[in-house]
Amino acid sequence: MINLFDLRKEQIDNDTLKLVLDKSLEDTINFDLKSVKEKNIIVDLLDNVNVTILNVDTDKSKNITFNLFGYSKLTYNIASFSMCEETEVVVNLNENSEFFGAYADFSIDSNSYKFTCNLNGRGSRAYWHLATLTKNSDKKTFDVSFYHYEKDTYAKMENYGVCEEASSLSFLGTSKIFKGAKRSATHQSAKIMVFDKKCNAKASPILCIDENDVQASHAAVVGQINEDHLFYLVSRGIKEKDAKKLITLGYLMPILDHFKDEATSEIIKKNIEERV
Protein backbone atom coordinates (compact mmCIF):
# COMPACT_ATOMS: atom_id res chain seq x y z
CA MET A 1 0.00 0.00 0.00
CA ILE A 2 1.32 3.44 -0.97
CA ASN A 3 1.48 6.30 1.55
CA LEU A 4 -0.19 9.41 0.13
CA PHE A 5 2.40 11.63 1.78
CA ASP A 6 5.20 9.94 -0.14
CA LEU A 7 3.75 11.40 -3.34
CA ARG A 8 4.04 14.92 -4.73
CA LYS A 9 3.62 17.59 -2.00
CA GLU A 10 3.39 21.39 -1.98
CA GLN A 11 3.59 23.43 1.24
CA ILE A 12 1.05 26.26 0.87
CA ASP A 13 1.57 27.80 4.31
CA ASN A 14 2.17 26.68 7.89
CA ASP A 15 -1.38 25.33 8.22
CA THR A 16 -1.98 24.02 4.69
CA LEU A 17 -0.42 21.16 2.74
CA LYS A 18 -1.34 20.29 -0.86
CA LEU A 19 -0.92 16.82 -2.38
CA VAL A 20 -1.08 16.38 -6.15
CA LEU A 21 -1.97 13.13 -7.92
CA ASP A 22 -1.07 13.33 -11.61
CA LYS A 23 -1.42 9.67 -12.61
CA SER A 24 -3.68 6.72 -11.88
CA LEU A 25 -2.52 4.11 -9.37
CA GLU A 26 -3.73 0.53 -9.06
CA ASP A 27 -2.60 0.15 -5.44
CA THR A 28 -4.73 1.55 -2.65
CA ILE A 29 -3.27 4.75 -1.20
CA ASN A 30 -2.95 4.96 2.58
CA PHE A 31 -4.11 8.36 3.87
CA ASP A 32 -2.21 8.38 7.18
CA LEU A 33 -2.52 11.76 8.89
CA LYS A 34 -1.01 10.80 12.25
CA SER A 35 2.28 12.58 11.61
CA VAL A 36 0.82 15.56 9.72
CA LYS A 37 0.93 18.81 11.68
CA GLU A 38 -1.03 20.92 9.18
CA LYS A 39 -4.71 21.56 9.91
CA ASN A 40 -5.74 21.84 6.23
CA ILE A 41 -5.03 19.14 3.65
CA ILE A 42 -5.76 19.68 -0.07
CA VAL A 43 -5.65 16.75 -2.49
CA ASP A 44 -5.78 17.48 -6.24
CA LEU A 45 -6.60 14.74 -8.74
CA LEU A 46 -5.55 15.99 -12.16
CA ASP A 47 -7.30 15.09 -15.43
CA ASN A 48 -8.07 11.39 -15.98
CA VAL A 49 -6.60 10.23 -12.67
CA ASN A 50 -8.24 7.18 -11.05
CA VAL A 51 -7.27 6.29 -7.46
CA THR A 52 -8.54 4.65 -4.26
CA ILE A 53 -7.67 6.26 -0.93
CA LEU A 54 -8.10 4.49 2.41
CA ASN A 55 -8.34 6.47 5.66
CA VAL A 56 -8.33 4.41 8.88
CA ASP A 57 -8.65 6.31 12.17
CA THR A 58 -6.44 9.17 11.03
CA ASP A 59 -8.61 12.18 10.08
CA LYS A 60 -9.22 13.68 13.53
CA SER A 61 -9.58 17.48 13.65
CA LYS A 62 -8.55 18.04 10.04
CA ASN A 63 -10.06 19.99 7.16
CA ILE A 64 -9.66 17.90 4.00
CA THR A 65 -10.45 19.13 0.48
CA PHE A 66 -10.44 16.92 -2.62
CA ASN A 67 -10.41 18.65 -6.02
CA LEU A 68 -11.25 16.29 -8.88
CA PHE A 69 -10.48 17.65 -12.34
CA GLY A 70 -11.85 16.49 -15.69
CA TYR A 71 -12.72 12.78 -15.97
CA SER A 72 -10.93 11.88 -12.74
CA LYS A 73 -12.30 9.28 -10.32
CA LEU A 74 -11.81 8.98 -6.55
CA THR A 75 -12.86 6.13 -4.29
CA TYR A 76 -12.51 7.33 -0.70
CA ASN A 77 -12.98 4.72 2.03
CA ILE A 78 -13.06 5.76 5.68
CA ALA A 79 -13.03 3.44 8.69
CA SER A 80 -13.23 4.78 12.24
CA PHE A 81 -12.95 2.74 15.43
CA SER A 82 -11.57 5.07 18.11
CA MET A 83 -12.90 8.35 19.50
CA CYS A 84 -13.19 11.02 16.80
CA GLU A 85 -13.08 14.78 16.93
CA GLU A 86 -14.53 17.39 14.58
CA THR A 87 -13.67 16.71 10.95
CA GLU A 88 -14.75 18.47 7.76
CA VAL A 89 -14.33 17.07 4.25
CA VAL A 90 -15.11 18.94 1.02
CA VAL A 91 -15.15 17.34 -2.45
CA ASN A 92 -15.17 19.57 -5.55
CA LEU A 93 -16.14 17.75 -8.75
CA ASN A 94 -15.39 19.09 -12.21
CA GLU A 95 -16.51 17.91 -15.65
CA ASN A 96 -17.37 14.19 -15.76
CA SER A 97 -15.45 13.43 -12.57
CA GLU A 98 -16.73 10.78 -10.14
CA PHE A 99 -16.59 10.35 -6.37
CA PHE A 100 -17.38 7.15 -4.44
CA GLY A 101 -17.36 7.59 -0.67
CA ALA A 102 -17.92 4.95 2.02
CA TYR A 103 -17.70 5.59 5.76
CA ALA A 104 -17.75 2.74 8.30
CA ASP A 105 -18.00 4.43 11.68
CA PHE A 106 -17.85 2.22 14.74
CA SER A 107 -15.98 4.67 16.93
CA ILE A 108 -16.63 5.14 20.63
CA ASP A 109 -17.85 8.22 22.50
CA SER A 110 -18.32 11.27 20.24
CA ASN A 111 -18.04 12.04 16.55
CA SER A 112 -18.87 15.18 14.59
CA TYR A 113 -18.37 14.74 10.85
CA LYS A 114 -19.24 17.18 8.08
CA PHE A 115 -19.08 16.20 4.42
CA THR A 116 -19.87 18.53 1.50
CA CYS A 117 -19.78 17.61 -2.17
CA ASN A 118 -19.96 20.37 -4.80
CA LEU A 119 -20.93 19.10 -8.24
CA ASN A 120 -19.42 21.97 -10.21
CA GLY A 121 -18.85 20.29 -13.57
CA ARG A 122 -21.31 18.96 -16.10
CA GLY A 123 -21.71 15.19 -15.93
CA SER A 124 -20.10 14.87 -12.49
CA ARG A 125 -21.39 12.10 -10.21
CA ALA A 126 -21.17 11.34 -6.49
CA TYR A 127 -22.12 8.33 -4.35
CA TRP A 128 -22.03 8.15 -0.55
CA HIS A 129 -22.73 5.29 1.86
CA LEU A 130 -22.47 5.50 5.66
CA ALA A 131 -22.99 2.87 8.36
CA THR A 132 -22.69 3.70 12.05
CA LEU A 133 -23.64 2.45 15.50
CA THR A 134 -24.14 4.34 18.77
CA LYS A 135 -24.57 2.81 22.21
CA ASN A 136 -23.91 3.58 25.88
CA SER A 137 -23.51 7.38 25.96
CA ASP A 138 -22.12 7.86 22.43
CA LYS A 139 -23.02 11.16 20.74
CA LYS A 140 -22.57 11.36 16.98
CA THR A 141 -23.60 13.82 14.27
CA PHE A 142 -23.14 13.35 10.53
CA ASP A 143 -23.83 16.32 8.27
CA VAL A 144 -23.75 15.18 4.62
CA SER A 145 -24.62 17.62 1.80
CA PHE A 146 -24.60 17.65 -2.01
CA TYR A 147 -24.84 20.83 -4.11
CA HIS A 148 -25.62 20.58 -7.83
CA TYR A 149 -24.36 23.66 -9.70
CA GLU A 150 -24.19 22.27 -13.25
CA LYS A 151 -26.35 20.34 -15.71
CA ASP A 152 -26.50 16.54 -15.90
CA THR A 153 -25.06 15.93 -12.43
CA TYR A 154 -25.99 13.02 -10.16
CA ALA A 155 -25.72 12.31 -6.43
CA LYS A 156 -26.90 9.46 -4.23
CA MET A 157 -26.58 9.45 -0.45
CA GLU A 158 -27.35 6.52 1.86
CA ASN A 159 -26.93 6.84 5.65
CA TYR A 160 -27.73 3.88 7.90
CA GLY A 161 -27.49 3.93 11.69
CA VAL A 162 -28.33 1.87 14.77
CA CYS A 163 -29.00 3.67 18.05
CA GLU A 164 -28.95 1.81 21.38
CA GLU A 165 -29.21 2.51 25.12
CA ALA A 166 -28.79 6.21 26.05
CA SER A 167 -26.83 7.21 22.96
CA SER A 168 -27.49 10.03 20.48
CA LEU A 169 -27.32 9.90 16.67
CA SER A 170 -28.18 12.61 14.13
CA PHE A 171 -28.19 12.53 10.33
CA LEU A 172 -28.28 16.05 8.90
CA GLY A 173 -27.42 17.74 5.61
CA THR A 174 -28.83 19.23 2.42
CA SER A 175 -29.21 18.08 -1.16
CA LYS A 176 -29.73 21.11 -3.40
CA ILE A 177 -30.15 21.51 -7.15
CA PHE A 178 -29.51 25.12 -8.16
CA LYS A 179 -31.26 27.01 -10.94
CA GLY A 180 -29.76 26.04 -14.28
CA ALA A 181 -28.65 22.54 -13.22
CA LYS A 182 -31.10 20.92 -15.64
CA ARG A 183 -31.44 17.15 -15.96
CA SER A 184 -29.66 16.65 -12.65
CA ALA A 185 -30.71 14.01 -10.12
CA THR A 186 -30.25 13.85 -6.37
CA HIS A 187 -31.40 11.05 -4.06
CA GLN A 188 -31.04 10.84 -0.30
CA SER A 189 -31.89 8.16 2.23
CA ALA A 190 -31.36 8.43 6.00
CA LYS A 191 -32.49 5.54 8.19
CA ILE A 192 -31.94 4.96 11.91
CA MET A 193 -33.05 1.85 13.78
CA VAL A 194 -33.76 2.59 17.45
CA PHE A 195 -33.56 -0.06 20.19
CA ASP A 196 -34.25 1.72 23.48
CA LYS A 197 -36.54 4.45 24.84
CA LYS A 198 -33.58 6.48 26.10
CA CYS A 199 -32.12 6.83 22.60
CA ASN A 200 -32.02 10.25 20.97
CA ALA A 201 -32.15 9.71 17.19
CA LYS A 202 -32.81 12.26 14.46
CA ALA A 203 -32.82 11.94 10.66
CA SER A 204 -33.60 15.28 9.04
CA PRO A 205 -31.79 15.85 5.74
CA ILE A 206 -33.14 18.73 3.63
CA LEU A 207 -34.09 18.67 -0.06
CA CYS A 208 -33.98 21.98 -1.99
CA ILE A 209 -34.89 22.14 -5.67
CA ASP A 210 -34.59 25.36 -7.73
CA GLU A 211 -34.97 23.78 -11.19
CA ASN A 212 -37.89 21.97 -12.88
CA ASP A 213 -36.25 19.50 -15.25
CA VAL A 214 -34.68 17.30 -12.55
CA GLN A 215 -35.16 14.13 -10.48
CA ALA A 216 -35.15 14.16 -6.69
CA SER A 217 -36.12 11.74 -3.93
CA HIS A 218 -36.04 11.91 -0.18
CA ALA A 219 -36.42 9.33 2.60
CA ALA A 220 -35.83 9.90 6.30
CA VAL A 221 -36.86 7.19 8.76
CA VAL A 222 -36.35 6.74 12.50
CA GLY A 223 -38.04 3.67 13.92
CA GLN A 224 -37.84 0.58 16.03
CA ILE A 225 -36.72 -2.83 14.87
CA ASN A 226 -39.08 -4.50 12.39
CA GLU A 227 -41.46 -6.57 14.53
CA ASP A 228 -42.34 -8.93 11.68
CA HIS A 229 -38.69 -9.79 11.13
CA LEU A 230 -38.17 -10.26 14.85
CA PHE A 231 -41.26 -12.47 15.18
CA TYR A 232 -40.16 -14.62 12.23
CA LEU A 233 -36.74 -15.31 13.74
CA VAL A 234 -38.09 -15.96 17.26
CA SER A 235 -40.72 -18.32 15.85
CA ARG A 236 -37.87 -20.33 14.33
CA GLY A 237 -36.38 -20.93 17.77
CA ILE A 238 -33.89 -18.05 17.89
CA LYS A 239 -33.70 -16.18 21.17
CA GLU A 240 -34.96 -12.59 20.99
CA LYS A 241 -31.57 -11.13 21.92
CA ASP A 242 -29.84 -13.16 19.20
CA ALA A 243 -32.58 -12.28 16.70
CA LYS A 244 -32.06 -8.56 17.32
CA LYS A 245 -28.34 -9.03 16.81
CA LEU A 246 -28.90 -10.82 13.49
CA ILE A 247 -31.19 -8.06 12.24
CA THR A 248 -28.69 -5.40 13.26
CA LEU A 249 -25.84 -7.20 11.53
CA GLY A 250 -27.93 -7.42 8.36
CA TYR A 251 -28.55 -3.68 8.59
CA LEU A 252 -24.88 -2.70 8.97
CA MET A 253 -22.83 -5.37 7.20
CA PRO A 254 -23.52 -4.13 3.61
CA ILE A 255 -20.94 -1.37 4.22
CA LEU A 256 -18.30 -4.10 3.73
CA ASP A 257 -19.20 -4.26 0.02
CA HIS A 258 -17.56 -0.84 -0.42
CA PHE A 259 -14.19 -1.83 1.06
CA LYS A 260 -11.89 -3.79 -1.24
CA ASP A 261 -8.99 -3.93 1.22
CA GLU A 262 -9.43 -7.31 2.93
CA ALA A 263 -7.57 -6.42 6.12
CA THR A 264 -9.71 -3.33 6.67
CA SER A 265 -12.90 -5.27 5.90
CA GLU A 266 -12.01 -7.83 8.55
CA ILE A 267 -11.41 -5.11 11.14
CA ILE A 268 -14.75 -3.47 10.29
CA LYS A 269 -16.57 -6.80 10.51
CA LYS A 270 -14.95 -7.56 13.88
CA ASN A 271 -15.90 -4.15 15.28
CA ILE A 272 -19.50 -4.47 14.11
CA GLU A 273 -19.83 -7.89 15.72
CA GLU A 274 -18.21 -6.74 18.98
CA ARG A 275 -20.27 -3.56 19.33
CA VAL A 276 -23.65 -5.01 18.36
Side-chain angles (χ1 to χ4, degrees), residues 32-181:
D32 188 350
L33 295 168
K34 292 187 180 74
S35 61
V36 178
K37 66 180 187 300
E38 290 83 2
K39 173 73 172 180
N40 306 308
I41 309 297
I42 300 171
V43 182
D44 285 354
L45 275 67
L46 303 188
D47 291 348
N48 297 298
V49 170
N50 183 350
V51 296
T52 297
I53 295 177
L54 175 63
N55 186 335
V56 180
D57 268 342
T58 61
D59 59 355
K60 299 176 178 64
S61 295
K62 299 288 185 182
N63 298 321
I64 304 169
T65 300
F66 293 101
N67 297 312
L68 278 66
F69 292 90
Y71 295 86
S72 60
K73 178 181 175 181
L74 170 63
T75 299
Y76 185 45
N77 292 337
I78 313 155
S80 182
F81 310 114
S82 60
M83 186 180 75
C84 291
E85 301 171 15
E86 291 188 2
T87 301
E88 183 170 355
V89 175
V90 176
V91 175
N92 296 310
L93 299 178
N94 289 292
E95 183 180 4
N96 287 303
S97 59
E98 290 185 288
F99 173 81
F100 299 85
Y103 190 175
D105 171 70
F106 299 98
S107 58
I108 299 170
D109 200 7
S110 63
N111 190 354
S112 178
Y113 192 88
K114 185 174 182 179
F115 173 86
T116 303
C117 183
N118 299 309
L119 294 101
N120 300 316
R122 189 168 184 173
S124 56
R125 303 174 71 84
Y127 304 85
W128 172 267
H129 192 105
L130 164 71
T132 186
L133 169 70
T134 61
K135 62 190 307 182
N136 300 321
S137 58
D138 294 346
K139 294 182 179 180
K140 300 182 182 181
T141 299
F142 298 91
D143 189 334
V144 180
S145 297
F146 294 91
Y147 296 102
H148 300 253
Y149 293 100
E150 255 295 355
K151 300 175 182 177
D152 303 308
T153 55
Y154 179 90
K156 184 177 182 180
M157 173 239 293
E158 295 178 316
N159 291 334
Y160 292 90
V162 173
C163 192
E164 300 182 13
E165 299 168 345
S167 63
S168 174
L169 176 61
S170 296
F171 288 157
L172 310 175
T174 300
S175 293
K176 182 169 184 177
I177 299 178
F178 286 85
K179 186 68 176 178

Side-chain angles (χ1 to χ4, degrees), residues 241-266:
K241 181 180 179 180
D242 293 334
K244 288 182 177 180
K245 183 173 182 177
L246 286 172
I247 293 171
T248 304
L249 290 174
Y251 197 70
L252 297 175
M253 283 297 187
I255 191 67
L256 296 176
D257 295 338
H258 300 272
F259 287 78
K260 304 306 179 186
D261 182 72
E262 292 184 7
T264 304
S265 293
E266 284 300 315

Side-chain angles (χ1 to χ4, degrees), residues 191-210:
K191 300 179 180 180
I192 302 176
M193 185 163 59
V194 176
F195 274 79
D196 301 287
K197 293 182 179 180
K198 293 182 179 180
C199 293
N200 183 8
K202 178 169 67 174
S204 57
I206 299 170
L207 195 62
C208 298
I209 308 299
D210 292 338

